[in-house]
Amino acid sequence: MISILRRLTTSIPPLMDPPNSSQRLLPLTQQLRLYKPPPSSWDDDSEVGLTESETPIAKDPETFRPKRAAVLICLFQGDGGDLRVLLTKRSSALSSHSGEVSLPGGKTEEGDKDDADTATREAKEEIGLDPELVDVVTVLEPFLSKHLLRVVPVIGILKDKEAFNPAPNPAEVEAVFDAPLEMFIKDENRRAEEREWMGNKYLIHFFDYETNNKKYMIWGLTAGILIRAASIVYQRLPPFVEQNPSHKILRCVDKSTILP
């Protein structure tokens, strides 16, 4: 991870110096365009996990191919000069992850050109964010969701925050709010739980956050993605261990499997 951060040689200048929001975010945009995610064993047509010759599993089970999804890490300049990220609280009526905090996004659909297209399309459907207002600057390495989705985080800069009026889809989103990105590389209001899956240990991080007299808990996949994004944006590691779930799961894992 340290070597990844060293690839980015441009530091973020004080965000309050330039006169307007677009100028403040220009150095960050240029910096993030230089970021290249580390090589991944996952590509569009690859299966997850060990090669068949490395497992004692018979060759007849159906190959497990993870479904693809993308989420949007939409960053903008807050009124106080800090860098903030858009988040949602999912509807309590949803069948999965109901009431949880998440990033806008969802599964790839036929017709999506790439991960950025998936993320911005879903953001428009969920919270009314016009893709024309988002300058997509880079993507991060894939993350493994609880339901074994291959989730690609897409980082975008909100060009004009005044032009964005959240319009949450009530069938999917209960609330739209924002939080300081730097929070996710600080050890304040954070706790973690250790889990084990197929012999590998990993950590689930929980961040408590309060805004406008409402309390939110940001945890799991969303927290893991934001920890990584904040590390890349601010070019420093968090003062705690990330330890995300490993992608190396058996290729014949049952499709109904979920992470504990």
Side-chain angles (χ1 to χ4, degrees):
M1 183 64 186
I2 294 175
S3 61
I4 296 171
L5 297 180
R6 284 175 179 166
R7 296 180 198 172
L8 302 175
T9 56
T10 307
S11 17
I12 303 175
L15 294 174
M16 297 182 67
D17 287 349
N20 60 60
S21 178
S22 60
Q23 287 182 341
R24 289 173 191 160
L25 293 176
L26 181 59
L28 175 61
T29 299
Q30 294 171 337
Q31 170 195 310
L32 290 175
R33 289 194 191 280
L34 297 175
Y35 177 76
K36 302 296 181 186
S40 171
S41 60
W42 284 1
D43 57 44
D44 291 347
D45 299 315
S46 68
E47 56 277 340
V48 176
L50 306 173
T51 61
E52 214 160 328
S53 61
E54 293 175 318
T55 73
I57 307 299
K59 296 185 178 182
D60 56 341
E62 181 184 356
T63 297
F64 173 74
R65 297 181 184 276
K67 292 184 179 179
R68 191 184 186 103
V71 293
L72 180 64
I73 304 170
C74 189
L75 304 177
F76 68 95
Q77 193 77 35
D79 294 336
D82 58 341
L83 194 61
R84 305 185 71 82
V85 59
L86 286 176
L87 293 164
T88 70
K89 181 178 180 182
R90 291 168 59 85
S91 168
S92 57
L94 290 171
S95 59
S96 64
H97 305 287
S98 59
E100 294 182 5
V101 171
S102 68
L103 291 156
K107 293 179 183 177
T108 300
E109 294 184 359
E110 186 177 352
D112 290 347
K113 294 177 293 185
D114 51 27
D115 295 313
D117 202 29
T118 299
T120 54
R121 174 185 55 75
E122 286 283 343
K124 182 177 182 180
E125 293 175 4
E126 292 180 4
I127 62 175
L129 176 58
D130 186 347
E132 294 297 321
L133 291 177
V134 181
D135 184 9
V136 172
V137 290
T138 194
V139 299
L140 306 186
E141 64 271 29
F143 281 69
L144 185 65
S145 81
K146 179 178 181 180
H147 295 282
L148 308 189
L149 279 173
R150 178 192 192 273
V151 181
V152 177
V154 175
I155 297 184
I157 305 296
L158 185 60
K159 299 176 185 177
D160 183 358
K161 68 177 182 179
E162 303 302 328
F164 172 50
N165 296 310
N169 179 348
E172 298 186 59
V173 175
E174 183 177 308
V176 180
F177 67 101
D178 56 82
L181 182 66
E182 194 174 13
M183 175 178 76
F184 299 98
I185 49 171
K186 294 182 176 181
D187 214 6
E188 303 166 8
N189 304 317
R190 184 196 70 90
R191 58 188 173 87
E193 293 180 5
E194 186 177 77
R195 304 284 174 89
E196 185 172 335
W197 183 52
M198 298 184 71
N200 293 313
K201 293 181 179 180
Y202 65 97
L203 292 176
I204 297 180
H205 298 274
F206 300 79
F207 292 86
D208 294 312
Y209 180 63
E210 184 173 353
T211 181
N212 296 326
N213 297 317
K214 294 183 179 180
K215 295 181 179 181
Y216 299 97
M217 184 170 66
I218 306 163
W219 67 287
L221 178 68
T222 300
I225 289 173
L226 290 172
I227 290 168
R228 185 65 52 83
S231 298
I232 291 166
V233 167
Y234 289 98
Q235 301 180 53
R236 67 176 189 268
L237 297 174
F240 50 83
V241 178
E242 292 182 60
Q243 200 169 332
N244 292 307
S246 172
H247 295 165
K248 292 187 176 296
I249 60 177
L250 297 178
R251 66 186 297 176
C252 59
V253 64
D254 188 275
K255 292 181 180 181
S256 63
T257 301
I258 63 172
L259 286 167

